[in-house]
Structures are given as structure tokens and as C-alpha cells.
Amino acid sequence: MRQFPLLTNIERSPAPMPSADHAPERTSPRPPCRTLMGVKIVGAGKYVPDQVIDNHHLHARLGFDSDWIVKRTGILERRHAAPHQATSDLCVEAAQDLFAKTGLSAKDCDLLVLGTFTPDMSFPSTACIVQDRLGLVGPAIEVEAACAGFMYALITAAAYVKAGLSERALVIGGDTNSRILNPDDIKTYPLFGDGAGAVFVEPGSPEQGFLAYSLGSDGHGGPLLMRECCGSRRPPTPQDLAEGRHYMFMDGRAVFRWAVSILCDTIQDVLKAAQLQTSDIDLYIAHQANIRIINAAIDVLHIPRSKVFNNLEKYGNTSAGSIPIALEEALAEGRIREGSLVVLSGFGAGLTWGTAVVRW
């Protein structure tokens, strides 16, 4: 079995990093929940790359312990993009799948809102690249909120529709995580996969929409999950590349504790704001980060696991693609119907979160 020394990208620290034993302290309370009714989510499409990277592959190629990965994360396999694929390619495929399943096309949309933190390049935006390839006429907005990116994009699009500024918006969440991971880091590399998902948002009945949602951020915890180089603060040098500073860094223990806390707290927040009980919800779809995070939160809230949708074992953490991919599969299985009450929750780097209770 291969030995795992301390990794250089974890040893180094450009600024004082929060201790793994101390989750970030919030300097202010969470923002109040809001309501956004009269809109509806229509359809869902997804795309995951063909290349399957299972735990046995990681064991054979990198020496990672397959059983350890399953016990610590619940992940059996994940998908990695082919060398010629970028985030825009995944997002275009997800949109095309949505078009095929709904009978609509880019001509039926007048707005694109795309969430990603692994863009094709700094500029032009991935949203504009996708807009051009789809032939969509209208603005293309890109949102970066990491694993909460889809929820940020979804609420943004819904606000445009509610305000009468869009008749039908295309919302996409997608990431190519495999390009920013350190393949030698056993603590992060097995967790993530690549993928994208897409939905439409359009006007709905007064009873449809977001009964309550919570969007928030806690920048104090930013150093817990970041990519130090490749931005204007620190363009990468040869030394940075040699030391792995261009890869993702995650303080796993602290992020785990924060994720469980924010998932519990914000689900309670939106349910209270909507005057609902946990038992009133038909389905819970949390960001597919780690099965231990999801189970810890729902156990605290006494939510039956039969009401929680998980596909983590197949795809790992696909970041902004996580929730829309899960939505596509939940709809395909008939677990969401018109009138269903569904809780969606994303959380990730920033630190950022977006949790909502939606009536379909």
C-alpha cells in the first residue's frame, strides 16, 4: 500500500489558516429568509462524462484505499471529463438533454444564468460560450458560488422571471472539478467528479415557487476551501506550480463541521419561514458532497432517510452540477410531481449557501 506523506499544498500556508478544530465563527446572523412565488421550475436535464473513475481504479493507479473512500464518503465512482472537454461542453450537453426532455429549445429562452467555479477560462465567461453554442438570444450571466452555485443561479433566474424581465430562463450548474484537484491528495481527489445539470424557470401559478429561501455567505471561512493561485491576487509562478498551489485546498474537518451545521440550520430556517414541519416535505435534495454530511444533518432533524434523494455513490461531488443532476434523476423516478414540496440545499466555498423550500 502506498504511503501518504504530508502534501506540499497542505503544508504551505500563504496566510494564517483556520484550525481544523475550529469551524469559522459567524460574525453576523444569517440573512432573513425571503419568498419568491409565482414562478416554477420546469424539467431537468443532465450530463456526466463517459469516463467512469471507480474506487478500484484509484486504488490501482494511485494506491488509494477503496474501503476507506466508501466509509468516509459513500462514493463508489465518479466521472471525469475527457481531455478535450471543458465546463462549457458539459453545460451544453446538459442543456441539450433538457431540450430533448421538454420539447423546448434555446429559441424558447431569453436568459441564461450559469453557475460554475471551474470556468473554461477567465474570460470570456463560460456563460457566453454556452449562450453562443446554444444560439440563445439574451443575456448570459455567470455566477460563482462554488457548490452553492446552482442555487444562486436558480434564485437569480427566478427573480428575473418574477420581475417580468425574462419569460423563460435557462439555469445551468456545472463543474469540471478534475482539472483543479491534486491527484496525490487522498483527502480531496476521491471526493469530486465532473458533471452538469440544467432546468428552466418560467412564470407559474401564485401557489408555485419558493415558499422560503435562504441565500447567504460567510467570507470569514473562505480560507477553509480555496484555490490560492490562478487569479489576480496570485498569478502562478513555476514555484507555485511545483508546490501545488494551483490545486484546490480544503480543510476537510472544519468544512465538514460547517457543512453539517449550515445544512441543519438553513433547512430549519426555511421550514420555519414557510410555516412547515419536516414531515410536510415530500423530498429533500441536499448538495451531494459527502454522505456523512447529509446523514448527520438529517439525523439531527429527524428526517427519514427515505425522504432524502442521494446519487452521491455514482458521481461524487459535482459542485454546481450536484443539485440539478439530482433533480433530473428524482423527476425521472417520479419522486417529484406537480404540487410536491421539495427542499433544495447547496453549500460550499466562499463560504456560501443556498437553501429553499419549493412547491412544484
Side-chain angles (χ1 to χ4, degrees):
M1 178 65 66
R2 177 179 167 188
Q3 297 298 311
F4 298 102
L6 290 176
L7 302 170
T8 56
N9 71 313
I10 293 179
E11 291 170 347
R12 52 84 176 139
S13 179
M17 301 292 290
S19 167
D21 296 322
H22 296 87
E25 296 181 3
R26 298 192 183 99
T27 56
S28 61
R30 292 183 298 281
C33 293
R34 308 285 185 181
T35 299
L36 188 55
M37 301 298 289
V39 297
K40 63 180 178 180
I41 301 171
V42 176
K46 78 169 190 284
Y47 174 76
V48 291
D50 294 333
Q51 186 179 17
V52 178
I53 307 296
D54 62 22
N55 293 342
H56 297 297
H57 175 88
L58 294 182
H59 174 76
R61 186 167 68 90
L62 300 170
F64 291 176
D65 187 332
S66 302
D67 292 337
W68 182 91
I69 294 171
V70 176
K71 290 177 182 177
R72 299 291 293 179
T73 70
I75 300 168
L76 299 176
E77 59 188 37
R78 71 287 295 147
R79 304 296 182 97
H80 282 183
H84 68 276
Q85 290 180 308
T87 297
S88 65
D89 299 304
L90 277 55
C91 292
V92 167
E93 292 285 355
Q96 296 287 9
D97 186 51
L98 172 65
F99 297 160
K101 287 171 177 168
T102 59
L104 298 169
S105 72
K107 295 181 180 179
D108 299 303
C109 311
D110 55 15
L111 171 68
L112 167 63
V113 188
L114 189 151
T116 187
F117 79 147
T118 57
D120 286 20
M121 60 194 80
S122 295
F123 58 89
S125 72
T126 301
C128 283
I129 296 171
V130 172
Q131 169 270 323
D132 178 61
R133 290 181 58 186
L134 293 177
L136 186 150
V137 177
I141 301 171
E142 189 153 320
V143 178
E144 182 185 333
C147 299
F150 176 77
M151 293 304 296
Y152 268 57
L154 182 65
I155 296 298
T156 299
Y160 270 78
V161 171
K162 178 65 176 179
L165 303 177
S166 170
E167 295 182 5
R168 180 179 290 113
L170 172 61
V171 185
I172 306 176
D175 278 301
T176 313
N177 293 301
S178 60
R179 301 289 160 74
I180 62 170
L181 298 171
N182 186 338
D184 290 326
D185 188 349
I186 188 176
K187 295 182 179 180
T188 59
Y189 192 76
L191 299 179
F192 293 86
D194 303 335
V199 302
F200 288 122
V201 176
E202 62 185 52
S205 71
E207 294 77 28
Q208 291 178 304
F210 300 85
L211 280 70
Y213 70 86
S214 171
L215 284 183
S217 60
D218 182 4
H220 178 71
L224 296 178
L225 181 52
M226 68 177 186
R227 188 186 187 196
E228 182 183 353
C229 285
C230 301
S232 62
R233 174 67 62 187
R234 187 163 189 155
T237 65
Q239 181 178 350
D240 289 332
L241 297 177
E243 294 176 353
R245 294 174 186 259
H246 59 301
Y247 290 128
M248 175 193 295
F249 167 83
M250 181 169 67
D251 185 335
R253 291 176 62 192
V255 170
F256 181 95
R257 293 176 61 182
W258 171 80
V260 173
S261 175
I262 202 66
L263 183 55
C264 285
D265 291 348
T266 58
I267 288 177
Q268 292 181 94
D269 287 347
V270 297
L271 290 179
K272 181 179 179 181
Q275 299 182 340
L276 296 170
Q277 305 296 318
T278 55
S279 58
D280 295 323
I281 303 302
D282 296 300
L283 189 65
Y284 293 83
I285 300 179
H287 166 50
Q288 303 290 291
N290 185 317
I291 196 63
R292 292 169 61 236
I293 292 174
I294 297 171
N295 287 343
I298 65 173
D299 288 349
V300 168
L301 298 175
H302 303 292
I303 297 171
R305 296 190 180 184
S306 59
K307 283 193 170 187
V308 181
F309 187 90
N310 292 313
N311 59 11
L312 180 77
E313 71 281 356
K314 296 188 293 183
Y315 308 123
N317 181 344
T318 54
S319 297
S322 167
I323 291 175
I325 290 172
L327 272 175
E328 190 278 334
E329 296 192 349
L331 285 165
E333 293 178 14
R335 299 189 67 179
I336 301 175
R337 299 179 175 86
E338 186 173 348
S340 292
L341 290 173
V342 181
V343 166
L344 308 174
S345 184
F347 44 87
L351 299 166
T352 56
W353 67 86
T355 301
V357 54
V358 186
R359 179 178 285 126
W360 241 255

